[in-house]
Amino acid sequence: MPRILDGKKIAQNLKDQLKIEIENIKIKSNRVPGLAVIQVGNVAASSVYVKAKTKAAKEVGIDVIDHHLVESVNQDDLINLINQLNNNDDVNGILVQLPLPKTINEEVVLNSIAPEKDADGFHPLNVGKLSISQKNDESLMIPCTPYGCLLLLRELNINLAGKNAVVIGRSNIVGKPMAQLLLKESCTVTTVHSKTINIESICKKADILIAAIGKPEFVNKDWVKEGAIIIDVGINRIKINEEKSKLVGDVLFSEVEHKVSAISPVPGGVGPMTIACLLRNTTAAFKLKFID
Amino acid sequence: MPRILDGKKIAQNLKDQLKIEIENIKIKSNRVPGLAVIQVGNVAASSVYVKAKTKAAKEVGIDVIDHHLVESVNQDDLINLINQLNNNDDVNGILVQLPLPKTINEEVVLNSIAPEKDADGFHPLNVGKLSISQKNDESLMIPCTPYGCLLLLRELNINLAGKNAVVIGRSNIVGKPMAQLLLKESCTVTTVHSKTINIESICKKADILIAAIGKPEFVNKDWVKEGAIIIDVGINRIKINEEKSKLVGDVLFSEVEHKVSAISPVPGGVGPMTIACLLRNTTAAFKLKFID
């Protein structure tokens, strides 16, 4: 039987540690880290994510400042709000929930977040620092989803150096930073994507396979090597029948689980880790400003 | 017979284009791009590179401002000089020749260069922008050596999408940005390095192999696939006898050339392209400031 990488439990451990750390911070500095969460409009999935992030932040003792703006908000007004938050010492992390309405330039908005408050790690300065640094260390703002994947891998307590890692997908949010993180762990890293020829045979050679494609149950047992480690980043809602739907990953779990040594489930795998890493980044930003 | 990628000739074409462009810029704006070249100490190889870069810049009509500092220069004085150059409108590109003396923190110095004058493309903000952008477009400051490699590949007029590209080496100067560039050309990209297991067999599957290891003639015919394209980034000086030495690449050219469809020689391959790309970056920086 494979090891099921229980993201819910591992994320809870991380949150428990953060909670203790924040209690200590409060004793020492009489302050706690603050996270500003900005949501624009009412996309249902965004509301779910914002609620989950807010709840988790409060659980560990982070102050949450919610800004829920109307769909029709002006881009300049949004950037003005971000500038205010950039200058507010009570705010250590700023999160703009994506996607933004099409009238707003996402890149311009994300780049307006002060790099030292960039809890999502999407600002180009943080992307560059991540690429340049030799180690995946505490001073970096690492995008939350790939960082969560790395923490799942670390739970296995194996030597990652020299492992053949294949990342499916090349997005700025997951694929590209994931490849950077694995390279720094000294994996041999291959990035495959929609233009890749023989994608299945490349994936089948992977010791570690990260699936971040966004296609439900796309990776089946023919894609994976016996004994491989699988991290499933996908969160896809599929219909079971007229009335019911369920969440599935990018990996056909029921088929693949019999072949691999470890696998993260969906839900309960990468998702909770992403949120825990957001809290970690916010706390790290606080520490860099007020403690280090 | 393989196509020999004549970097000297291709770089000359690029320089000829830049020369015409700079003449037109001068007519329009009564200005020319300016490049500040800073050398610290007297490392022989650095002097050779600085001389070659200065000569090439002058050839295309770029104004060169040379700053040759003594080995014992204080880090703060060096950074003060860079700050002056950052604020000097006649300077569009700033190049600090590496390596710097061990008493100086290279990272701090490079990060003090204004990103918009960062002709080498090493500033984390430019590294991040390169990673995030969807295309290898004109607005980016792309590190000169990998950019030169890409221009050599483009000379082949083949569709790079879907090609299996393997980059040997993971330095910040070559390997990492090279992988980013190839990914944006929609290659399937694998980065291999000193910790990689079965490196030879991975390289042997490459349609495009970029060798940036720094080990003379390390890649022999057993590493390459029949018909592959080889770009050799290495510049290694080896002794022939007591008196004589010669430059060789990371690839055993005499053996490999019979097996491949295209290969860049050393010298006369990537080296001249690196210099041409420095001039291109300086000109691009000028255009972004004064023309676009």
Side-chain angles (χ1 to χ4, degrees), chain B residues 70-212:
Chain B
V70 292
E71 172 94 17
S72 60
V73 70
N74 186 294
Q75 178 170 313
D76 290 341
D77 292 339
L78 175 54
I79 289 174
N80 282 340
L81 170 62
I82 291 172
N83 283 336
Q84 281 170 33
L85 297 169
N86 285 342
N87 293 319
N88 181 347
D89 270 357
D90 293 333
V91 173
N92 306 104
I94 301 172
L95 165 77
V96 177
Q97 183 63 44
L98 303 181
L100 291 170
K102 281 177 187 161
T103 51
I104 292 179
N105 184 327
E106 225 165 70
E107 193 185 336
V108 172
V109 169
L110 292 180
N111 289 4
S112 74
I113 297 172
E116 66 274 15
K117 299 190 178 188
D118 171 33
D120 264 332
F122 295 157
H123 191 286
L125 190 68
N126 288 323
V127 173
K129 284 182 176 175
L130 179 69
S131 172
I132 290 167
S133 75
Q134 300 302 314
K135 287 186 181 171
N136 294 318
D137 69 25
E138 291 299 307
S139 70
L140 298 165
M141 290 286 142
I142 304 174
C144 303
T145 297
Y147 194 31
C149 295
L150 177 62
L151 295 183
L152 287 179
L153 290 173
R154 284 191 180 155
E155 280 292 309
L156 294 168
N157 277 319
I158 55 165
N159 185 5
L160 297 173
K163 289 273 182 293
N164 188 22
V166 176
V167 178
I168 317 177
R170 52 174 164 167
S171 72
N172 287 329
I173 294 175
V174 185
K176 287 180 192 172
M178 189 76 244
Q180 299 282 1
L181 292 174
L182 291 167
L183 192 61
K184 274 186 275 186
E185 300 291 326
S186 288
C187 294
T188 299
V189 183
T190 301
T191 302
V192 301
H193 46 78
S194 57
K195 295 284 192 291
T196 293
I197 297 160
N198 298 326
I199 190 166
E200 192 179 306
S201 73
I202 295 172
C203 291
K204 202 163 184 167
K205 292 197 187 83
D207 303 314
I208 297 168
L209 185 63
I210 314 281

Side-chain angles (χ1 to χ4, degrees), chain A residues 4-21:
Chain A
I4 306 296
L5 291 162
D6 185 346
K8 216 171 157 183
K9 191 175 146 196
I10 299 163
Q12 190 58 54
N13 291 345
L14 182 56
K15 286 190 284 182
D16 290 345
Q17 284 168 34
L18 283 171
K19 194 176 177 181
I20 295 169
E21 197 173 353

